[in-house]
Amino acid sequence: MDENIRKVSEELDSAAPGLTHQEAIEAFRIRFLGRKGTVSALFEQLGTVPKEQRGQIGKQLNDLKNKAQGLIDAATAGQQNSVINTRTDLTLPGYPVQFGKLHPLTVVMNEMIEIFRFLGFSVASGPELEHDWYNFEALNFEHDHPARDMQDTYFIDRDLLLRTHTSPVQIRVMESQKPPIRSIMPGRVYRNEAVSARSYCLFHQLEGLLVDKNVSFVDLKTILLAFAREFFGPQTKIKLRPSFFPFTEPSAEVDVSCHLCHGKGCRVCKHTGWLEILGCGMVDPNVLKACNVDPEEYSGYAFGMGIDRIAMMRYGIDDIRLLWDNNQRFLQQF
Amino acid sequence: MKIIYSWLKEFVDFDWSPEELASRLTMTGLEIEGIERVGASFKGVIIGKVVSREKHPNADKLSVCRVDLGDGHPVQIVCGAPNVAAGQTVPVATAGAVLGADFTIKKATIRGQESNGMICSKSELGLEEGKSDGIWVLDESLTAGLDLASVLNIREDYVLEVAITANRGDALSHLGVARDVAALAGKTVRFPDLTVDPKYISKIQSSEKIKIELDSPDQGPVYAGWYLEGVTARPSPEWMQTRITQMGLRPRNILVDVTNYVMMELGQPLHAFDYDRLKSGTIRVKTTGPGPFTTLDSKERQLPDQALMICDGNDPVAVAGIMGGENSEVEDSTSRVLLESAWFNPSSVRKTAKKLGISTDSSYRFERGIDSGLQKTAALRAAKLIVENTGGKMAETPVLAVAKHLIQPELTLRFSQIKRILGIEIPKEKVHQILDSLGFVMIGENQTEMMVRVPAHRPDVTREIDLIEELIRIYGFHHVPEAETVSVSYTAEQKSSYSFDNKLRFMLTGAGFQEILCNSMIPEKDALLVTGKIVPILNPQSEEMGVLRPALAPGMLAIVQKNQNHGITDLRFFELGHCFTSVKSDRYSKIGNHQEEIRIGLMMTGQTVKSTWNSQPESSTLFHLKGTVLAVLDVFRLSEPVTVTAVDSEFYEDCLVLSTGNVQVGHIGKISKKVQSFFGLKQPVFIAELILDSLYSLPKHQPRYQELPKFLPVEKDMAFWVSRSVPAGEMVQSIQETNPGQISQVTVFDVFEDPKNQQNQKSVGFRMTLQNPEKTFTDQEIDGIMTAVRQMMEKKFNASLRGG
């Protein structure tokens, strides 16, 4: 009996590889487990086995039956999978949907605007074609003063020019609203500078203006630090250096600790650990006066930054002209 | 501007390294942009005497010299300079000396002749830019064997490049920078030595030699002259030449060099006239009319009207504060000199310099405002340096003319304002110390305020706020803390298109359009394709950026072309930007004679649906773009419906104008063949532009909820044969109007033209959605509606039911 069981078990093994289609599986089932199958025949012989061996042989027979059934089950499962594969190849690519992307400058600009809106600033805008009064005069740029050389200007006529900064919107906002004023002014500005990898004749700025009672440099520093940490990361530090802008006094340049090396020094920050990103200061009393705001009653701060340079730092873009070439392969990267 | 480290130390004591000095100055507002190490150590370079010189036996251009290096045993050196000769005293780099960054001198054999070093030129020693004419022949009194560095008093030094902001004219000199250093270090500034050995002073008074007349007191109120005689226009001493070279100028002769030296030292621009070339005995400072004038750089320039001139009697000899004239310039033969040290009105100098198109070291300083109390002192300093180094004598006194006294303002500083503006208190003793070291003079003080007189070197300080800036500049912004919390006071959000602009951006990117940003300055020929009403730029950078864009299309097409050159031809772009046209009327909010409007432009070209393993590609058509544009317009929720009208256009070959009411809000078009070939485009391009200013200002409606229909709609299709010229849009509208309230929607599902059809007809299939909010239609009612539509079509459009 042992011998017979072993023989049938070997037959199972040798027949198993042939279970590649439904007919073969059915034939296998009939041959071994059918009413007249070999395994069933062995069960019928169990009665002839001596009583004391019956338990052990019975267990062997059950194992044999389970083995046959296991082979059938496995082959059937495999069969079903292959049936699905011939119906639909799910590895084929999905039908492509190509979204457009925002221009990287818009991405950076939007991110900054959202931070300042969260900090309570509303968005204001103005024309790109400006009068001398708004672009220079009201901003305390005196006539025939070298400060006018700070910004190479494109002129349309004696009075009209392409704005060289977003600061004229400060004047327009102060003309149309009374303090408290809490505005940011994003926009495109123009400088008559030779085009190179490092400079372009137009770029984008984001300007901020707050005018209220009892506004001091502490408030300015506070908002700048809040912005820097939101934009560059929570560990960011800021450093202010005295500088000169005709429309603010005192004025400062603001450096933020390099977000790449965290102040250790790297290629992006030219090994200084700091990135120069914005200019700021307290609104010059002459500017407030030009807008009929009493500088003894109100004070304010203003700040401004160049979006293009910050975007270049963030994305590691080494040639500013790429931003204006609008190569589809470039734009799809952001 | 450049500042020399060792020179600065002559004015003020400080222990900081060049790097530390740089970072401290940067934090006071004088930004140091770079530090350059100069005046190499010259280790191993010694004085030698050329004992003999012979021609090199194997090389025409080389000499073999025997040079005494002080030990009495002359060595052989091969030299290539044409000017080497026996008897000369020369600098010799001996074996082991390092010149420049890494050029080590070694013993060598040159064409068979041993050479034990190198006879140096100035440029080889790093003392002259470019290539020197030959070896440097030194004063023969120098002893052989001495170290060159010790003889010339040349040390290692540093040149700091300072970026001076437009308000800080006072810092355009070593003295000026030293004042800031003194304020930082708590030291006082040391003025250069002004005592003159009596042997250099003559009995003559300058006023005996020259009269000064100030005819234009507003432009030229202060003029000092100092008369010198018996001087020679010889080269300056080496130490002065070194500094002048390090400052980036080229040494000329001592008369010219001293004027530059004192300007860089004290900030006062000076000019030296050859006294013998002045004929009238009177210097007149006055404005003149236009005319030609030749400046000392031998260029004839056209003087603008009202230029302030220095005149010899009535003949101009210098453009005041800008540049001297060729007619009175010092020459090699000059022995008598009139030194000019004056104060000119900054904006007058600036106007003339601008009109002449020149900027000199002198005009640069005058424009920014120089110290109005320094004229006599600076002239004395310069006269002293000239006579001490050339011999000759200076007049005992200068001639000084003052037509108008420049008054130093007195300012009140309220202590409460420091706190109000800066948010911090600055200790009173610190306030005193800072203002004092910067030269402000205390006039009075009480509990709440103090009064100071502004020094003559700070014309930029005219208000209390300027004093507060001076305080924090020196005290340091690091003393200003950040607050713990940001408080937000509520201010109503002003009307802004920001949010809606972004909504449009996100919709369009979702629809597969890529945002681009184009230059607003475009070539005139591109702009003229769109309109003749263009806005040119007066001073364009190039023709390529000659005018402002009147529309977004030209810029977009240029970008399509660039991408096409990179093999990228399937594109969908949009841009949001300002466009500019010149206008005559006042219809829009106008600036001057120009109209500026904000537009959004959409562009499609190439395949809009790519092929897949299961579908064919689809090329962009005008209808793809039309569908997108109308969907975008829908988002504005305009109160009035948008109407679409076909119009003729030169830019577009098929063009639709979009309007609402009688306001045009945009257009959609397929660019014409002419425009396509102008931009070198290989395939059709479809462009739409919407005028956002108009769309934002038009009345909008709020959506109101409408009850949802309770009954299922019924869809019915009908196709008609109709003349090819009947527009589908009209038929759709007419069908809709046949049974008001019962046909909720009509679309075109099929357009078919049978090429064999001789009657010039087309078949148009309409799908109608029948919907009654009250009930379900009976078959009879549906037949009734269909019949009404058919009869209307037959009657109005002469159509016949297809297959009917």
Side-chain angles (χ1 to χ4, degrees):
Chain A
M1 189 72 183
D2 272 357
E3 179 64 14
N4 285 340
I5 290 172
R6 195 182 52 76
K7 243 181 170 169
V8 173
S9 178
E10 280 170 7
E11 282 171 28
L12 284 176
D13 289 337
S14 59
L19 299 178
T20 54
H21 48 93
Q22 202 53 48
E23 291 76 21
I25 294 169
E26 185 57 15
F28 181 92
R29 193 188 64 77
I30 292 167
R31 179 177 163 198
F32 293 103
L33 300 181
R35 211 183 295 163
K36 292 176 183 169
T38 37
V39 177
S40 310
L42 286 175
F43 269 103
E44 276 169 19
Q45 290 173 30
L46 191 61
T48 67
V49 174
K51 225 175 183 175
E52 61 275 18
Q53 293 179 16
R54 236 179 250 171
Q56 195 224 333
I57 297 288
K59 188 176 175 303
Q60 285 182 24
L61 280 175
N62 271 328
D63 287 348
L64 188 69
K65 187 184 163 192
N66 288 341
K67 180 176 175 180
Q69 189 59 50
L71 288 169
I72 291 169
D73 290 349
T76 308
Q79 196 60 29
Q80 276 165 359
N81 282 344
S82 68
V83 165
I84 289 168
N85 283 348
T86 51
R87 266 187 206 147
T88 314
D89 177 359
L90 294 183
T91 64
L92 284 169
Y95 301 147
V97 172
Q98 196 185 26
F99 288 146
K101 300 272 179 83
L102 294 183
H103 193 281
L105 291 175
T106 305
V107 175
V108 171
M109 183 88 94
N110 275 347
E111 199 175 317
M112 291 177 172
I113 292 173
E114 285 310 317
I115 293 171
F116 283 112
R117 273 162 60 94
F118 175 72
L119 292 169
F121 289 78
S122 55
V123 182
S125 58
E128 292 175 5
L129 211 49
E130 263 298 5
H131 294 275
D132 184 271
W133 164 261
Y134 288 103
N135 196 75
F136 290 126
E137 190 91 31
L139 288 165
N140 198 33
F141 282 80
E142 290 168 47
H143 272 294
D144 299 312
H145 190 276
R148 292 225 172 190
D149 294 343
M150 290 164 74
Q151 301 173 350
D152 290 318
T153 310
Y154 285 111
F155 291 96
I156 302 302
D157 57 39
R158 280 172 64 93
D159 176 49
L160 265 185
L161 45 85
L162 287 168
R163 67 176 177 193
T164 55
H165 46 188
T166 41
S167 308
V169 189
Q170 286 189 23
I171 306 298
R172 291 183 175 274
V173 168
M174 280 191 274
E175 274 182 352
S176 64
Q177 335 171 14
K178 292 272 159 271
I181 289 166
R182 212 179 167 98
S183 289
I184 47 166
M185 304 137 219
R188 186 178 275 208
V189 303
Y190 301 79
R191 301 272 172 95
N192 196 345
E193 286 167 11
V195 172
S196 71
R198 294 179 54 80
S199 85
Y200 202 70
C201 46
L202 55 155
F203 58 97
H204 297 80
Q205 281 188 336
L206 184 106
E207 184 104 359
L209 174 72
L210 185 143
V211 180
D212 204 343
K213 285 178 180 162
N214 299 315
V215 179
S216 79
F217 216 100
V218 170
D219 302 302
L220 170 57
K221 233 179 145 178
T222 306
I223 215 81
L224 293 177
L225 184 66
F227 166 75
R229 293 197 166 158
E230 283 291 327
F231 189 82
F232 291 103
Q235 307 303 318
T236 307
K237 298 188 194 70
I238 60 172
K239 185 173 80 176
L240 273 67
R241 286 178 286 118
S243 190
F244 169 68
F245 309 108
F247 40 99
T248 51
E249 180 131 355
S251 305
E253 296 271 5
V254 182
D255 297 341
V256 299
S257 53
C258 179
H259 59 288
L260 288 179
C261 63
H262 303 288
K264 285 187 211 79
C266 65
R267 202 175 60 87
V268 170
C269 60
K270 299 194 193 87
H271 304 284
T272 61
W274 296 93
L275 301 168
E276 190 182 320
I277 60 151
L278 60 80
C280 69
M282 300 302 292
V283 180
D284 193 288
N286 286 351
V287 175
L288 295 174
K289 281 185 212 159
C291 303
N292 292 318
V293 175
D294 180 4
E296 290 291 316
E297 189 183 356
Y298 291 101
S299 53
Y301 61 72
F303 55 84
M305 60 191 114
I307 309 301
D308 307 45
R309 276 195 49 236
I310 294 173
M312 289 171 74
M313 278 192 276
R314 160 175 286 191
Y315 296 119
I317 299 167
D318 53 9
D319 189 332
I320 198 166
R321 290 168 293 199
L322 286 167
L323 294 171
W324 299 96
D325 280 349
N326 294 297
N327 184 302
Q328 170 86 349
R329 292 194 186 101
F330 171 81
L331 294 171
Q332 282 284 326
Q333 293 178 19
F334 303 97
Chain B
M1 191 198 55
K2 291 177 162 67
I3 287 291
I4 297 172
Y5 183 70
S6 66
W7 200 351
L8 191 63
K9 283 202 157 189
E10 290 177 13
F11 291 92
V12 61
D13 293 323
F14 59 92
D15 306 326
W16 305 320
S17 68
E19 292 74 21
E20 202 177 346
L21 174 70
S23 79
R24 283 175 188 265
L25 283 175
T26 297
M27 294 310 284
T28 68
L30 299 179
E31 188 184 356
I32 307 298
E33 294 181 316
I35 304 174
E36 188 197 351
R37 217 182 89 176
V38 292
S41 61
F42 299 138
K43 206 162 160 257
V45 183
I46 59 176
I47 307 293
K49 305 271 181 184
V50 183
V51 180
S52 66
R53 175 202 162 269
E54 278 159 31
K55 201 182 130 321
H56 192 292
N58 304 322
D60 283 347
K61 290 185 175 167
L62 297 181
S63 311
V64 179
C65 306
R66 296 190 66 75
V67 183
D68 176 11
L69 296 176
D71 56 4
H73 303 287
V75 296
Q76 178 167 307
I77 295 176
V78 177
C79 180
N83 66 331
V84 67
Q88 284 173 337
T89 302
V90 292
V92 179
T94 55
V98 180
L99 298 182
D102 55 357
F103 178 37
T104 307
I105 303 297
K106 297 186 198 112
K107 273 192 187 180
T109 305
I110 299 167
R111 299 235 176 164
Q113 292 290 318
E114 184 185 307
S115 185
N116 295 288
M118 182 171 100
I119 304 176
C120 302
S121 69
K122 273 187 148 181
S123 64
E124 282 159 347
L125 291 168
L127 296 173
E128 192 170 85
E129 304 223 351
K131 197 166 157 48
S132 304
D133 293 337
I135 54 157
W136 186 14
V137 182
L138 298 165
D139 194 301
E140 60 185 30
S141 65
L142 297 174
T143 312
L146 289 179
D147 200 41
L148 180 74
S150 64
V151 168
L152 296 177
N153 197 19
I154 293 172
R155 295 159 297 198
E156 242 184 325
D157 209 340
Y158 301 87
V159 177
L160 283 67
E161 187 66 47
V162 199
I164 308 277
T165 52
N167 59 330
R168 291 295 306 279
D170 69 290
L172 290 167
S173 68
H174 284 78
L175 172 65
V177 173
R179 281 196 204 98
D180 271 17
V181 174
L184 282 176
K187 298 280 165 66
T188 47
V189 166
R190 215 170 17 241
F191 216 75
D193 184 16
L194 294 170
T195 54
V196 184
D197 189 321
K199 71 179 181 192
Y200 295 122
I201 301 177
S202 77
K203 289 271 151 37
I204 301 168
Q205 314 298 312
S206 299
S207 57
E208 294 166 24
K209 291 291 179 185
I210 198 90
K211 275 211 280 293
I212 311 290
E213 288 179 10
L214 303 179
D215 291 358
S216 304
D218 287 329
Q219 290 94 326
V222 181
Y223 195 101
W226 210 305
Y227 169 78
L228 286 69
E229 60 185 16
V231 299
T232 48
R234 53 172 292 183
S236 304
E238 287 300 335
W239 62 265
M240 188 182 287
Q241 290 198 33
T242 302
R243 280 192 171 164
I244 283 177
T245 308
Q246 286 170 350
M247 292 295 287
L249 299 179
R250 200 177 168 81
R252 301 261 310 280
N253 60 56
I254 185 145
L255 304 176
V256 174
D257 291 353
V258 162
T259 59
N260 285 325
Y261 187 84
V262 174
M263 175 180 69
M264 296 182 295
E265 185 175 61
L266 305 179
Q268 169 71 50
L270 300 165
H271 184 64
F273 292 105
D274 183 332
Y275 179 79
D276 291 304
R277 299 176 77 183
L278 300 175
K279 295 172 192 81
S280 71
T282 302
I283 288 286
R284 290 180 68 185
V285 183
K286 61 170 191 174
T287 53
T288 62
F293 180 70
T294 305
T295 44
L296 52 74
D297 52 4
S298 304
K299 284 189 183 143
E300 187 181 291
R301 300 176 189 273
Q302 286 304 317
L303 295 174
D305 196 20
Q306 294 300 303
L308 187 70
M309 299 297 292
I310 311 302
C311 300
D312 170 18
N314 279 319
D315 305 328
V317 286
V319 192
I322 299 171
M323 199 183 273
E326 194 175 49
N327 55 10
S328 56
E329 184 192 12
V330 292
E331 296 172 311
D332 290 348
S333 60
T334 301
S335 68
R336 301 201 289 174
V337 163
L338 177 70
L339 278 175
E340 166 197 290
S341 178
W343 190 94
F344 302 120
N345 180 293
S347 72
S348 157
V349 172
R350 180 177 162 82
K351 271 183 205 159
T352 306
K354 279 258 149 185
K355 284 178 188 155
L356 286 173
I358 44 178
S359 174
T360 60
D361 285 330
S362 168
S363 70
Y364 193 83
R365 283 170 175 79
F366 276 117
E367 282 179 30
R368 281 156 180 75
I370 61 159
D371 186 341
S372 58
L374 198 66
Q375 284 64 47
K376 214 168 114 179
T377 311
L380 171 59
R381 173 75 175 149
K384 170 187 151 83
L385 285 172
I386 291 173
V387 291
E388 282 180 352
N389 285 289
T390 72
K393 291 194 173 191
M394 55 194 273
E396 191 176 6
T397 57
V399 52
L400 177 67
V402 179
K404 199 172 157 185
H405 284 280
L406 300 164
I407 293 164
Q408 307 318 316
E410 292 170 359
L411 300 177
T412 302
L413 173 61
R414 293 165 291 172
F415 299 124
S416 59
Q417 286 294 303
I418 299 177
K419 168 85 175 160
R420 178 173 172 251
I421 298 298
L422 299 178
I424 54 164
E425 317 250 10
I426 299 178
K428 272 191 195 173
E429 59 274 22
K430 198 73 201 165
V431 171
H432 277 274
Q433 187 238 308
I434 291 170
L435 292 178
D436 189 54
S437 61
L438 291 172
F440 292 85
V441 180
M442 201 66 47
I443 307 172
E445 181 178 2
N446 62 25
Q447 279 302 307
T448 58
E449 59 188 41
M450 65 195 282
M451 195 175 232
V452 295
R453 181 177 303 119
V454 178
H457 60 263
R458 290 307 299 270
D460 60 309
V461 177
T462 58
R463 303 167 300 166
E464 183 182 50
I465 192 74
D466 300 325
L467 290 174
I468 294 172
E469 179 173 61
E470 288 302 299
L471 290 174
I472 193 62
R473 186 171 75 76
I474 303 296
Y475 192 55
F477 281 119
H478 60 277
H479 281 112
V480 179
E482 294 98 21
E484 296 278 318
T485 53
V486 178
S487 64
V488 178
S489 64
Y490 173 75
T491 52
E493 170 115 43
Q494 299 297 311
K495 207 178 119 198
S496 154
S497 64
Y498 163 74
S499 299
F500 206 94
D501 287 350
N502 262 345
K503 188 171 175 176
L504 295 174
R505 285 194 179 99
F506 288 122
M507 279 188 334
L508 287 170
T509 51
F513 286 78
Q514 169 66 50
E515 187 183 25
I516 61 169
L517 292 175
C518 300
N519 196 332
S520 337
M521 297 177 285
I522 64 172
E524 183 176 14
K525 56 183 173 29
D526 295 16
L528 285 172
L529 294 171
V530 178
T531 175
K533 299 174 188 169
I534 49 173
V535 182
I537 296 165
L538 272 188
N539 54 333
Q541 194 168 106
S542 65
E543 264 182 50
E544 286 300 294
M545 297 188 234
V547 305
L548 294 177
R549 59 179 176 192
L552 298 171
M556 289 189 136
L557 291 171
I559 296 300
V560 171
Q561 195 249 346
K562 274 191 186 181
N563 276 280
Q564 176 188 283
N565 290 350
H566 283 97
I568 312 166
T569 51
D570 303 326
L571 295 165
R572 268 177 280 183
F573 285 153
F574 77 96
E575 181 182 14
L576 227 146
H578 294 233
C579 296
F580 310 84
T581 42
S582 98
V583 283
K584 295 277 182 284
S585 75
D586 196 87
R587 191 168 149 205
Y588 295 91
S589 75
K590 68 168 194 174
I591 293 178
N593 227 15
H594 306 293
Q595 178 193 327
E596 176 172 350
E597 62 186 17
I598 304 173
R599 294 187 177 192
I600 189 165
L602 283 73
M603 187 287 309
M604 289 179 103
T605 185
Q607 293 178 2
T608 185
V609 178
K610 305 265 172 159
S611 65
T612 71
W613 50 274
N614 198 25
S615 63
Q616 292 302 307
E618 213 175 295
S619 286
S620 310
T621 65
L622 188 67
F623 297 100
H624 286 101
L625 190 56
K626 184 180 177 186
T628 306
V629 168
L630 290 172
V632 167
L633 281 172
D634 194 44
V635 175
F636 284 88
R637 298 191 187 287
L638 299 174
S639 302
E640 299 264 325
V642 173
T643 54
V644 183
T645 323
V647 295
D648 287 332
S649 151
E650 280 196 33
F651 196 84
Y652 296 105
E653 132 187 328
D654 295 321
C655 186
L656 295 168
V657 163
L658 303 159
S659 24
T660 160
N662 52 6
V663 181
Q664 264 195 31
V665 294
H667 59 260
I668 310 168
K670 174 186 180 185
I671 60 164
S672 68
K673 288 280 179 306
K674 183 182 125 196
V675 172
Q676 189 178 327
S677 75
F678 179 91
F679 285 99
L681 302 172
K682 292 180 188 141
Q683 56 188 15
V685 179
F686 306 94
I687 287 188
E689 294 193 34
L690 298 175
I691 300 161
L692 287 180
D693 297 308
S694 304
L695 289 167
Y696 284 148
S697 62
L698 283 166
K700 311 288 187 302
H701 73 268
Q702 272 286 350
R704 298 274 307 167
Y705 162 69
Q706 291 185 336
E707 207 182 338
L708 301 175
K710 294 189 188 74
F711 304 98
L712 285 179
V714 179
E715 281 190 352
K716 281 285 169 192
D717 293 349
M718 285 175 110
F720 292 93
W721 284 111
V722 63
S723 163
R724 213 174 270 179
S725 62
V726 177
E730 269 180 45
M731 291 189 279
V732 167
Q733 203 182 341
S734 297
I735 292 171
Q736 211 139 24
E737 286 163 1
T738 34
N739 297 66
Q742 302 202 305
I743 302 179
S744 63
Q745 198 185 17
V746 183
T747 61
V748 177
F749 73 89
D750 179 47
V751 178
F752 167 73
E753 287 181 28
D754 184 355
K756 281 175 264 167
N757 188 317
Q758 298 300 309
Q759 286 156 315
N760 217 9
Q761 285 195 319
K762 62 183 173 185
S763 155
V764 183
F766 299 96
R767 176 158 301 155
M768 289 154 278
T769 307
L770 311 184
Q771 179 94 58
N772 187 321
E774 306 301 327
K775 57 175 191 150
T776 314
F777 287 114
T778 63
D779 287 350
Q780 247 174 339
E781 285 166 331
I782 293 170
D783 287 346
I785 295 168
M786 293 293 101
T787 305
V789 168
R790 182 171 53 83
Q791 287 169 348
M792 181 281 295
M793 288 294 290
E794 286 167 356
K795 202 171 151 202
K796 187 165 181 185
F797 297 108
N798 198 21
S800 59
L801 193 64
R802 192 171 145 211

